[in-house]
Amino acid sequence: MTLDLVAPRRRPALPREGERGETLRVRTLSALATRGVLQFGGIVVPCAIGRGGISRFKREGDGATPAGRFELLQVYYRRDRGERPRSALPVAPLPRAGWCDAPGHPRYNALVPLPCAASHEVLWRDDPLYDILVVLDCNLHPAVPGLGSAIFFHLARPGYTPTEGCVAVARPDMEILLAACGPGAAIEIG
């Protein structure tokens, strides 16, 4: 079976700081390990992070947001729930697909067509969290089984409640950030 989904593509190399692209920086708030701030130049917005805080030792299912620097690869959006976000990053409609989180599966940490027998996260959600979703270059090339999957930059729940390991911001903030991001943009967590 061939996948006719728009899959995120890895760019040849992540630019070094100061070369090209931009960096969004995420830090936790000292009082709440699951809340943080995201800074991008002069823009500073609140964000939610994983229920397990930020970890340098990310493992599948631990609820932690992985520390590191990850390129923003692909923006997906729900056409039925809003207009196409403005961005110089690649933008495509969110496919009716899943994201495999089964470490033993050959498509671990990748888009999968539905139905899928392996454990996966459904991307078309009833809530608005994935109405705008950005795939991060986290454990993708190659995907190492058990080191975490479906680490996205997406929309936050009201009250910025913890994520399962992603970084999440309010929709108006996401729209501003994506409009300012260009090729080579990355998110630095930790």
Side-chain angles (χ1 to χ4, degrees), residues 13-77:
L14 190 64
R16 294 181 194 267
E17 186 73 345
E19 283 182 4
R20 104 179 146 80
E22 301 88 11
T23 301
L24 294 83
R25 290 183 169 76
V26 174
R27 304 287 181 263
T28 59
L29 297 174
S30 57
L32 296 169
T34 61
R35 294 272 313 266
V37 292
L38 185 150
Q39 182 174 0
F40 182 65
I43 303 168
V44 179
V45 299
C47 67
I49 60 171
R51 61 182 163 74
I54 295 175
S55 176
R56 297 206 179 284
F57 306 101
K58 173 71 184 156
R59 295 292 179 260
E60 187 68 43
D62 65 4
T65 299
R69 182 177 163 88
F70 310 105
E71 188 173 356
L72 281 64
L73 297 179
Q74 176 71 51
V75 179
Y76 290 114
Y77 71 102

Side-chain angles (χ1 to χ4, degrees), residues 10 16 51 53 79 106 110 127 130 175 183:
R10 182 177 171 94
R16 294 181 194 267
R51 61 182 163 74
R79 280 194 294 203
D127 63 30
Y130 290 175
E175 290 171 347

Side-chain angles (χ1 to χ4, degrees), residues 49-68 70 99 101 103 108-109 121 136-140 144-152 163-167 189:
I49 60 171
R51 61 182 163 74
I54 295 175
S55 176
R56 297 206 179 284
F57 306 101
K58 173 71 184 156
R59 295 292 179 260
E60 187 68 43
D62 65 4
T65 299
F70 310 105
W99 197 274
D101 58 11
Y108 174 65
N109 201 23
E121 186 166 349
L136 303 179
D137 184 19
C138 181
N139 193 33
L140 286 180
V144 178
L147 292 189
S149 63
I151 304 299
F152 304 130
T163 69
E164 294 298 312
C166 300
V167 175
I189 303 167

Side-chain angles (χ1 to χ4, degrees), residues 100-113 116-119 143 145:
C100 182
D101 58 11
H105 193 274
R107 300 276 308 153
Y108 174 65
N109 201 23
L111 277 169
V112 291
C116 178
S119 177

